[in-house]
Each structure stands twice: as C-alpha cells, then as structure tokens.
Amino acid sequence: LVKAEEELREARKLAAQNPSYGPPFIAEVENSLGVVLVHQKRYDDAIAMLRETASNLLNRTPHLAWGNLGWAYYEKGQYTDAVAALTQSIRHQNRFCLGYYRLGQAYLALRDFEHAEESLTHCLEVPDEGCHNLQDAWHLRGQARARLGQREDAIGDFERCLELAASTPTGRACQSYLEATQ
C-alpha cells in the first residue's frame, strides 16, 4: 500500500504537469489514491480526497468516487454520511451494485432494516452476473429480512449465500444463521 500510494501521488504530479492527461485522468488517479488511503485506515485523508474528486465536474466516473467516499465514511463509523455519499453514487449510476451493497451495509449499521433490505435487493437485481453472485449481499439481505420478521425470505437468502461458497467466512456465517433458525 505504501508503494501504491507513492506511485499514485507521482502519477498525479506528472499528470498535472502534462496537459495531455487533463483533469479527468487526475480524478481517476485521485479516486484510486483515496481507495489506498481507506485500505491504510487513513479515513480523514481518504474522505478529503474522495469528496474533492467526487465533486469534480470533469470526473468521468463520479459514481466510483461517491461510492468510495461512502465506503470511507462507513469504515470511519459515520453511517449517516455514508448513506448520503452512497445515495449519490447510485444516482450517478443506477447499475452500480457495489454502491447498493454498501448502502445496504450502512443502513444495517443504522438499524434501518427496511432501507437495507431495499438497497440489497437492488444490488442483487442489477443485471450482471457479478452482482447476482455477491455472496455478502445475500448474507446481509438475509440479516435485514430476519430483522424484519421475513423468516422464509431470510432463509432463502442464507441458502443462496451457502450455494455460492460454503467454505468462506461469509458462507460459514450464513450456515450459522440457518442452524439458528432450525
């Protein structure tokens, strides 16, 4: 991560000096740098950078920057701010299943189970195989549905979670939920 940060900072510096790259390229570099900062648990630095690049009118992929900003807020424990940023991400790209997933995750943290279930359902309904197979989304939607008293739907989500991969930590968590409902 240290090397990645160094390389991305150098890329940003070189791109700023070369007009053939331009602001859209710099915005993508800053988004990637923000991701590295989140992985380093430097949330305030990541939030500052990602907020700037998400708001950049020349950013060609603002949904990614808004999504990563929401992720940074989530990791910092600022769930309301995470919801606001992630809502922006899916406004920019309504097929951004990772944005819906993280939005559901933030709503779960806020104990807003109805919105969590709705966001995770949107995630799993995006017409993309990767979205349909996002094991963590099945797991979290099962949790939200269980909290909403939708027992049979929750069981179905946990079963689908297990079908995807029983040996992962998420698969084992889904198995635990299923065992608890028996």
Side-chain angles (χ1 to χ4, degrees):
L1 291 173
V2 172
K3 181 73 170 158
E5 180 184 357
E6 290 171 5
E7 297 292 333
L8 287 166
R9 289 191 186 280
E10 182 67 15
R12 186 175 62 173
K13 181 179 134 194
L14 292 172
Q17 296 169 357
N18 186 338
S20 65
Y21 284 99
F25 177 80
I26 294 171
E28 290 179 28
V29 170
E30 289 174 342
N31 183 48
S32 296
L33 181 54
V35 169
V36 169
L37 295 171
V38 172
H39 281 292
Q40 292 176 334
K41 300 184 184 337
R42 293 170 49 196
Y43 303 124
D44 290 330
D45 294 337
I47 288 167
M49 176 156 297
L50 291 165
R51 188 181 306 121
E52 184 176 324
T53 193
S55 302
N56 182 339
L57 295 175
L58 299 175
N59 186 341
R60 291 181 288 219
T61 55
H63 69 285
L64 297 177
W66 283 109
N68 289 326
L69 177 59
W71 177 40
Y73 279 129
Y74 176 85
E75 292 296 324
K76 191 176 178 193
Q78 293 180 232
Y79 305 125
T80 303
D81 292 327
V83 165
L86 291 161
T87 299
Q88 282 290 1
S89 77
I90 60 174
R91 280 190 189 134
H92 282 277
Q93 176 50 267
N94 66 358
R95 294 174 53 132
F96 184 37
C97 68
L98 187 57
Y100 284 113
Y101 165 74
R102 288 193 173 137
L103 183 58
Q105 196 178 34
Y107 278 129
L108 269 179
L110 289 168
R111 303 185 59 77
D112 183 344
F113 304 117
E114 288 179 14
H115 282 106
E117 193 271 343
E118 179 183 331
S119 297
L120 293 160
T121 296
H122 283 301
C123 169
L124 294 166
E125 290 178 346
V126 170
D128 177 273
E129 187 175 335
C131 300
H132 295 234
N133 294 326
L134 187 56
Q135 186 181 35
D136 289 328
W138 290 100
H139 173 235
L140 292 184
R141 189 173 76 169
Q143 288 182 355
R145 286 177 163 179
R147 295 298 212 140
L148 291 169
Q150 301 171 3
R151 185 178 189 278
E152 294 305 314
D153 290 335
I155 288 171
D157 286 347
F158 294 134
E159 288 173 344
R160 176 66 179 129
C161 169
L162 271 177
E163 288 172 14
L164 291 170
S167 63
T168 64
T170 301
R172 288 190 295 277
C174 290
Q175 180 66 46
S176 294
Y177 273 98
L178 285 171
E179 289 171 1
T181 63
Q182 304 300 327

